[in-house]
Amino acid sequence: MFSNLLVLAMSAAPQASTPPPPAYDQAAYRRCVDSLQARAGREGIGSALFDRHVRTVVPDTSVLRLLDSQPEFKTPIWDYLAGLVDEERVADGRQMLQRHADVLSRVEAAYGVDPATVVAVWGVESDFGDTFGKRPLLQSLTTLSCMGRRQDFFRGELLATLRIIRDGDVTADKLVGSWAGAFGHTQFIPSTYRRLAVDFDGDGRRDLVDSIPDALASTANYLKRAGWRTGEPWGYEVAVPARFSGAHGRTRRQPLSHWVGQGITRVDGSPIAPDGRRSALVMPAGRDGPAFLVFRNFDAIYSYNAAESYAFAIALLSERLRGRPGLVRDWPTDDPGLSRLQRRELQQLLLDRGHDIGEIDGIVGGNTRAAIVLEQQRLGRPPDGRASQGLLRALKATRPVPAAPAEPRTR
């Protein structure tokens, strides 16, 4: 939600070697914790609860460098989508639609959000519950409440976390997730949890960690409150004539008749019925890539994590889960990104060449990127650390050459 933990883990964008965690002023940190306790007391959080869960926290300053590293804003959209809307996730998502059909039907009846959209959010946010994240929320949020940017925001999230524990919804040991505090199957941040999570399984607790019904219903409730319109599409791919030169972008809404008048059609060439709905023309990779007309439901998805790449991942995965084909027009690149299956294949090739990259998991982390750079240099390719189709083909076409021993790095 604030940060998609799965995409952070899977990002194939080049990154520098991980520096050591920054040092911090211990006296200033203690003063900050004192001020947090005073605020918590004013807001009804007892000192015993605060002391147990905040006063004992040892700061994790490694989270500070993540404040400006969300891949939704830094990764080319074709790389971003390659590992999020791949055949594995489509197949797994279809299984989840069948496995949880009863719950999803009841969720749709209660909140008006279709099963494919809810399951798409689940798939992108936590890979259907397989990847919650491993950072203790109390440690991350206490650190961010006292250091770095946006301390006021993170203080509110920390206090919301303490209220979740106080109210007995989720125990402290289960509150692990992303660096920014998102947790559970569909990665709510604590303040959103407090505001919009629902008890859908009727056990008296709102639990997005151990209750799939609560998590799916809470996600639908979020989208409904964000303006979801039942029965309407999020949008669809369109064809834009070469002569088009008008304004476009997610916030530039026009009646459908406006776009029809500009010569825009569905991507298969069929006409668009110009009803009274307002829509926006979005070209996330510019004029040379796919184009879309998007409606109010796209904005509801966008609000879950305010990045267009993220919203398109949810929207396009939901289309595949409905049994519809993928994009008609290709992204404007001759070297697209890799699916998770292909990333694992790449990692195996790197291991075969003697690189110490750790587990073959499809996650392009620091060890994998360092190995990619070495292989790119050997192949005479730009050493940018990017996992791509071109690199995979090049490695498959060349005989393994054992790498020189290297110091282990964090994946």
Side-chain angles (χ1 to χ4, degrees):
M1 185 162 291
F2 178 88
S3 168
N4 180 294
L5 73 93
L6 184 58
V7 180
L8 283 173
M10 291 172 54
S11 173
Q15 297 179 16
S17 298
T18 303
Y24 68 96
D25 184 330
Q26 295 186 20
Y29 175 74
R30 287 194 295 270
R31 290 193 297 272
C32 175
V33 171
D34 289 341
S35 69
L36 287 172
Q37 183 158 24
R39 175 176 169 180
R42 291 193 298 270
E43 297 186 19
I45 297 170
S47 59
L49 181 69
F50 186 93
D51 288 344
R52 185 181 316 120
H53 295 296
V54 178
R55 182 71 64 180
T56 57
V57 164
V58 176
D60 174 14
T61 56
S62 69
V63 299
L64 298 175
R65 61 174 168 258
L66 300 174
L67 278 166
D68 298 304
S69 64
Q70 283 185 269
E72 298 93 314
F73 303 106
K74 297 175 180 286
T75 307
I77 190 168
W78 46 88
D79 278 352
Y80 184 90
L81 295 177
L84 286 174
V85 189
D86 61 7
E87 295 304 320
E88 282 183 84
R89 205 177 312 277
V90 171
D92 291 345
R94 288 173 179 167
Q95 288 183 2
M96 294 302 164
L97 284 170
Q98 293 179 355
R99 186 177 305 169
H100 301 284
D102 177 66
V103 169
L104 289 163
S105 177
R106 291 189 291 112
V107 166
E108 183 174 24
Y111 301 103
V113 183
D114 65 281
T117 298
V118 174
V119 170
V121 174
W122 188 17
V124 168
E125 287 291 352
S126 73
D127 199 15
F128 310 108
D130 282 349
T131 310
F132 280 1
K134 298 179 180 179
R135 292 181 181 269
L137 263 63
L138 290 162
Q139 184 180 41
S140 295
L141 293 175
T142 300
T143 304
L144 293 166
S145 293
C146 293
M147 304 176 200
R149 298 187 301 108
R150 303 191 68 187
Q151 290 181 21
D152 286 345
F153 170 82
F154 289 110
R155 289 175 183 182
E157 296 306 315
L158 176 61
L159 295 178
T161 304
L162 292 173
R163 292 188 185 97
I164 291 170
I165 297 169
R166 180 196 64 191
D167 295 346
D169 283 327
V170 184
T171 57
D173 62 299
K174 295 289 185 70
L175 289 171
V176 295
S178 76
W179 65 270
F183 70 100
H185 282 274
T186 51
Q187 295 289 290
F188 274 29
I189 58 174
S191 61
T192 301
Y193 183 102
R194 291 273 303 165
R195 185 167 55 93
L196 295 175
V198 298
D199 172 21
F200 202 69
D201 62 12
D203 68 352
R205 297 186 302 117
R206 303 180 300 168
D207 183 1
L208 273 63
V209 176
D210 289 328
S211 173
I212 290 174
D214 286 5
L216 300 182
S218 296
T219 297
N221 186 42
Y222 180 99
L223 293 171
K224 178 182 178 182
R225 295 281 292 273
W228 186 269
R229 294 178 179 174
T230 302
E232 293 190 9
W234 62 267
Y236 40 75
E237 190 178 357
V238 295
V240 180
R243 69 177 185 274
F244 175 81
S245 60
H248 57 88
R250 186 182 60 84
T251 61
R252 295 178 178 272
R253 300 276 158 167
Q254 297 286 350
L256 274 174
S257 57
H258 170 81
W259 306 117
V260 171
Q262 295 287 324
I264 292 173
T265 65
R266 287 184 177 266
V267 72
D268 62 2
S270 61
I272 297 169
D275 58 32
R277 286 179 297 168
R278 296 176 66 82
S279 60
L281 176 65
V282 180
M283 294 183 278
R287 289 296 303 269
D288 294 331
F292 308 87
L293 284 181
V294 300
F295 302 95
R296 183 66 188 86
N297 286 349
F298 185 83
D299 287 341
I301 297 170
Y302 176 90
S303 72
Y304 208 93
N305 186 357
E308 283 188 4
S309 293
Y310 173 87
F312 277 113
I314 301 294
L316 295 174
L317 179 57
S318 74
E319 290 295 290
R320 295 296 309 281
L321 295 181
R322 295 182 185 99
R324 296 171 185 165
L327 295 176
V328 173
R329 190 168 186 187
D330 292 331
W331 296 108
T333 177
D334 59 1
D335 193 10
L338 302 178
S339 69
R340 290 175 296 165
L341 178 63
Q342 291 169 327
R343 291 176 188 182
R344 292 194 295 271
E345 184 180 6
L346 174 64
Q347 288 177 321
Q348 183 62 62
L349 291 168
L350 295 172
L351 276 178
D352 292 345
R353 286 158 170 76
H355 295 286
D356 180 12
I357 64 168
E359 181 184 359
I360 295 178
D361 54 10
I363 297 173
V364 182
N367 270 1
T368 299
R369 282 190 295 272
I372 287 172
V373 167
L374 292 175
E375 292 301 326
Q376 287 173 325
Q377 291 170 337
R378 288 180 176 176
L379 293 166
R381 301 170 67 92
D384 58 9
R386 177 174 173 260
S388 70
Q389 298 279 354
L391 176 64
L392 179 61
R393 288 194 298 269
L395 290 180
K396 290 169 71 173
T398 59
R399 295 181 61 183
V401 178
E407 292 295 323
R409 302 185 187 184
T410 302
R411 259 193 321 109

